[in-house]
Amino acid sequence: DVKVTQSSRYLVKRTGEKVFLECVQDMDHENMFWYRQDPGLGLRLIYFSYDVKMKEKGDIPEGYSVSREKKERFSLILESASTNQTSMYLCASSPGPSGGYTFGSGTRLTVV
Amino acid sequence: SQQGEEDPQALSIQEGENATMNCSYKTSINNLQWYRQNSGRGLVHLILIRSNEREKHSGRLRVTLDTSKKSSSLLITASRAADTASYFCATGLGRLYFGRGTQLTVWP
């Protein structure tokens, strides 16, 4: 079964820590995405990537960076975690510009 | 904003009834997609309808698209308790824009 795997379901980090959220897909998809989901705000795109070593800013990139060294892995980095980054983080991949997304199960991050 | 907007925000029905959710969007589209999200989980792709299609079926799901009105509807027939979830429409080429979703509750 094709899959997008996020490394952690739940994560608790302290303010100021550097946080890595990992996402791996086994579908040889070109495109990968990181969203955050907050009540009342829906899904907001943080960063996306159309190819290895390539990244594009989404709607809310501030405070985040990403890394895509290999096609199957797309990492989201919180450079210095803050409490307003407490959220559900969703990784997704797609085969091309018109394809449906396959989502991971999500990582619920709490920053204390 | 290219974001789709679902209507209603919440819908509560009994098992066996049909559930209809609507989506409106603002810009021209290449396709429109519907997703389901069970509580606390990732989204699951349900169906994609292209801009030159008017209707599409998948099992108990029926999606319609009216590009002249910039709207789509998702119909779930003979709903089950397991259909309880949030449903999102999404549009975009490459990157998708999601609405805020319709929370569907199906009571046994």
Side-chain angles (χ1 to χ4, degrees), chain B residues 1-8 21-29 31-34 64-74 87-92 97-102:
Chain B
S1 166
Q2 299 185 44
Q3 193 173 14
E5 291 296 334
E6 294 88 351
D7 173 66
M21 289 157 271
N22 302 297
C23 171
S24 59
Y25 57 92
K26 295 179 180 176
T27 63
S28 298
I29 60 168
N31 65 63
L32 185 143
Q33 304 179 32
W34 284 92
T64 61
L65 179 64
D66 186 336
T67 53
S68 68
K69 295 181 179 178
K70 290 187 167 59
S71 68
S72 174
S73 67
L74 170 67
Y87 292 82
F88 296 86
C89 66
T91 60
Y97 295 86
F98 290 84
R100 290 188 171 85
T102 292

Side-chain angles (χ1 to χ4, degrees), chain A residues 84-105:
Chain A
N84 63 13
Q85 292 178 311
T86 291
S87 186
M88 167 72 100
Y89 289 87
L90 294 165
C91 175
S93 71
S94 75
S98 301
Y101 284 13
T102 301
F103 278 85
S105 296

Side-chain angles (χ1 to χ4, degrees), chain B residues 22-97:
Chain B
N22 302 297
C23 171
S24 59
Y25 57 92
K26 295 179 180 176
T27 63
S28 298
I29 60 168
N30 178 265
N31 65 63
L32 185 143
Q33 304 179 32
W34 284 92
Y35 290 79
R36 183 188 76 232
Q37 184 181 33
N38 291 93
S39 180
R41 310 294 294 187
L43 281 72
V44 175
H45 181 255
L46 294 176
I47 199 163
L48 180 153
I49 185 166
R50 302 193 188 285
S51 59
N52 61 354
E53 296 176 310
R54 291 297 167 258
E55 189 170 310
K56 201 162 182 179
H57 296 254
S58 176
R60 292 184 297 112
L61 306 180
R62 173 179 165 246
V63 169
T64 61
L65 179 64
D66 186 336
T67 53
S68 68
K69 295 181 179 178
K70 290 187 167 59
S71 68
S72 174
S73 67
L74 170 67
L75 168 68
I76 304 174
T77 59
S79 296
R80 305 166 182 168
D83 294 326
T84 293
S86 292
Y87 292 82
F88 296 86
C89 66
T91 60
L93 195 63
R95 63 151 294 175
L96 289 179
Y97 295 86

